Amino acid sequence: MTSISHHNPLYRIVVAHYLLAGLCFLILAGMFLFSVESLSGHYFQPKILALTHTAALGWGTMIIFGALYQLLPVILETNLYSTIFPWISLAFFVPGIILLVYSFWIFDPGLYMQIASILVLTGVIFFTLNVFFTVKRKKRESIFQEFIITSVLWLTLTALLGTLLVFNFQFSFLQKDHLDFLRLHAHMGIVGWFLMLIIGVSAKLVPMFLVSKYQKVQLLSFSYYFINAALVSFLLSAYLQGIVFITYVVVLLGATGVSFYLFYLFKCMKSRIRKEVDLPMVKTLFSFLLLAAGMLVLPFILYYHLENHRLAVNMSTLYGILIFMGWISALILGQTFKTLPFIVWLKHYEHLAGNVKTPVPADLLNGRLLYIQFVAFFLFLVTFIAGFLLGSIVMRFMGACSLIVTALSYLFHVIYLLLHKTKIRNYDDI
């Protein structure tokens, strides 16, 4: 198995992704502060498009890429196919994100945006190839493996459709309405990439972190098929407009698939041996409540959309906030400080284990920064969402300020961990 230590090139690429994601999160928080008024309008506008792609690519996808380079060998019990592909992917991905977000912010759908989309797509392709060939090394199939490989295929399709949409601004070769393809692009990313990948990884890790005895994966199989059926139905609905029942079928299939997954997590939580749950796991479990809240918004979006009511736009924006800034962000904020301490521990103490008494990974954390981050993020959710629903600019501004505190504490904590020095002076020899 590939080990993530200071002797392995994977350590540097994983750390690079964590740092870049933390920086993107801070930039995202600053963009929120300068966009509080724009968030009350239609979601298809420059600043919201820039915010969404910063959150989806620079924050969510960046951290997932880095984490997956670490976790894939662990989950599949095999070596990562290539340690060069991650660097190639990053070399294309980062400039692509910067150029894409800038092009959306000033809304220049010309050459720069086209170049950006190709750079992002190329970075995604190198990542996908690495995951695909790594999975192919694993002879024994598992539901976790199916979730992961399917999610990266959806990611590639999402990036490909996004590239086509960028070129469609200038050449208008797509026959359907641009907004229809935009909704398809968004949900392929949210459901096909983020949800499928998160289920595949978290379904393996959450029971490990909780020390849960529950190992029945039949619920995950049901979740896999229902969610993919929802996505395929959604693809069909883009070409069968006017048939209302297909939209209901999509929502029902997707909600059922997510429900099976949430029930699996509930069973893991109920059967856990470790009764005490630390703060990073609290954030992780809280993130799934935010996912459930986002799912509850979907029927309202559907109802108001079919009624051609203006609230459909507001509900769609609320859904995006709950998914990107709620569920995905809370999950990252929690899982970063379950995985990164372990990576740092391996660098400093793996070679010492068995010879001297060493700290555990959790001992490397800064409890104060962890607490500040949790409180600031909770205040962001409460004040920003309340301000959005009540139409209060002041509350949204307060929420954006809380998000900046969250991002700063997150980035400082990541840097704090990476600057850790080996400490064995205070430990007695075994």
Side-chain angles (χ1 to χ4, degrees):
M1 184 187 300
T2 301
S3 175
I4 311 294
S5 69
H6 62 308
H7 300 297
N8 195 292
L10 276 181
Y11 175 78
R12 291 184 177 180
I13 190 63
V14 170
V15 166
H17 279 80
Y18 275 90
L19 282 172
L20 287 168
L23 183 60
C24 286
F25 186 34
L26 182 58
I27 293 171
L28 175 64
M31 292 168 66
F32 254 84
L33 189 64
F34 290 100
S35 307
V36 289
E37 295 183 5
S38 301
L39 289 169
S40 58
H42 197 279
Y43 53 82
F44 188 68
Q45 57 173 298
K47 288 187 177 180
I48 292 183
L49 290 173
L51 283 166
T52 302
H53 285 84
T54 304
L57 297 175
W59 173 226
T61 300
M62 182 74 73
I63 200 77
I64 288 175
F65 278 13
L68 207 58
Y69 293 137
Q70 174 212 352
L71 297 173
L72 200 60
V74 177
I75 294 173
L76 299 182
E77 299 177 352
T78 186
N79 292 328
L80 195 67
Y81 173 75
S82 171
T83 57
I84 302 299
F85 276 16
W87 288 110
I88 298 174
S89 173
L90 192 67
F92 283 102
F93 198 59
V94 172
I97 293 172
I98 295 171
L99 196 56
L100 187 67
V101 170
Y102 173 75
S103 299
F104 276 128
W105 187 265
I106 65 172
F107 203 72
D108 179 13
L111 181 61
Y112 289 150
M113 190 180 291
Q114 293 165 7
I115 293 173
S117 66
I118 293 174
L119 289 173
V120 170
L121 178 60
T122 305
V124 167
I125 288 173
F126 273 99
F127 168 78
T128 299
L129 289 173
N130 209 6
V131 173
F132 178 78
F133 287 121
T134 301
V135 170
K136 291 293 287 184
R137 287 181 168 183
K138 178 71 174 176
K139 296 180 180 179
R140 184 180 176 184
E141 295 184 359
S142 67
I143 189 61
F144 312 106
Q145 177 179 329
E146 294 301 319
F147 268 107
I148 291 171
I149 194 63
T150 306
S151 70
V152 297
L153 291 176
W154 280 115
L155 170 64
T156 305
L157 291 174
T158 303
L160 178 60
L161 180 56
T163 302
L164 293 175
L165 287 172
V166 166
F167 279 89
N168 190 61
F169 281 129
Q170 183 173 349
F171 301 106
S172 301
F173 52 85
L174 296 176
Q175 297 179 357
K176 295 287 184 178
D177 189 289
H178 192 91
L179 287 178
D180 291 331
F181 284 106
L182 182 63
R183 283 189 285 267
L184 184 59
H185 171 68
H187 283 88
M188 285 168 65
I190 293 171
V191 180
W193 163 232
F194 283 115
L195 182 60
M196 293 288 289
L197 189 281
I198 287 170
I199 290 177
V201 174
S202 64
K204 182 77 172 182
L205 296 184
V206 169
M208 289 172 54
F209 291 142
L210 293 175
V211 193
S212 172
K213 297 178 291 184
Y214 190 77
Q215 296 182 356
K216 297 179 181 179
V217 297
Q218 190 63 41
L219 290 171
L220 296 176
S221 297
F222 289 142
S223 177
Y224 177 86
Y225 290 113
F226 272 98
I227 291 173
N228 277 287
L231 277 169
V232 172
S233 300
F234 193 63
L235 285 169
L236 292 174
S237 69
Y239 290 92
L240 298 174
Q241 294 176 350
I243 304 179
V244 176
F245 84 90
I246 292 183
T247 307
Y248 287 107
V249 168
V250 171
V251 174
L252 180 61
L253 288 172
T256 303
V258 172
S259 297
F260 277 120
Y261 169 59
L262 293 177
F263 188 62
Y264 172 85
L265 291 178
F266 172 76
K267 297 289 284 186
C268 291
M269 187 70 180
K270 189 176 180 181
S271 63
R272 73 190 189 278
I273 296 174
R274 179 179 292 167
K275 298 304 179 183
E276 293 185 4
V277 180
D278 58 20
L279 198 52
M281 278 306 297
V282 169
K283 295 174 189 174
T284 300
L285 297 172
F286 177 60
S287 74
F288 297 117
L289 294 178
L290 294 169
L291 171 61
M295 295 297 296
L296 291 175
V297 174
L298 283 176
F300 294 97
I301 297 174
L302 175 60
Y303 172 77
Y304 288 124
H305 177 70
L306 294 175
E307 294 292 323
N308 291 319
H309 197 285
R310 61 178 182 83
L311 284 177
V313 173
N314 289 339
M315 290 294 103
S316 297
T317 304
L318 176 61
Y319 171 73
I321 293 171
L322 286 170
I323 293 299
F324 284 111
M325 304 312 300
W327 167 50
I328 293 174
S329 293
L331 185 63
I332 294 172
L333 293 174
Q335 285 303 294
T336 292
F337 300 107
K338 296 295 288 185
T339 57
L340 189 57
F342 179 67
I343 299 171
V344 175
W345 184 92
L346 284 176
K347 175 185 177 182
H348 292 277
Y349 301 104
E350 183 183 28
H351 62 291
L352 298 174
N355 298 318
V356 296
K357 189 175 181 180
T358 63
V360 297
D363 293 335
L364 309 186
L365 293 169
N366 184 304
R368 183 175 298 178
L369 284 174
L370 208 61
Y371 181 76
I372 291 172
Q373 178 200 114
F374 178 77
V375 173
F377 183 69
F378 184 78
L379 287 175
F380 158 71
L381 288 176
V382 172
T383 54
F384 196 89
I385 292 176
F388 176 79
L389 294 174
L390 298 174
S392 171
I393 296 294
V394 174
M395 293 188 72
R396 273 183 278 173
F397 181 80
M398 291 171 58
C401 290
S402 297
L403 186 63
I404 288 178
V405 175
T406 305
L408 283 171
S409 60
Y410 175 87
L411 184 57
F412 287 159
H413 205 169
V414 168
I415 295 172
Y416 171 85
L417 284 169
L418 297 179
L419 293 178
H420 177 81
K421 302 295 183 183
T422 306
K423 299 176 182 179
I424 60 172
R425 290 178 302 174
N426 298 326
Y427 294 95
D428 297 325
D429 292 341
I430 295 177

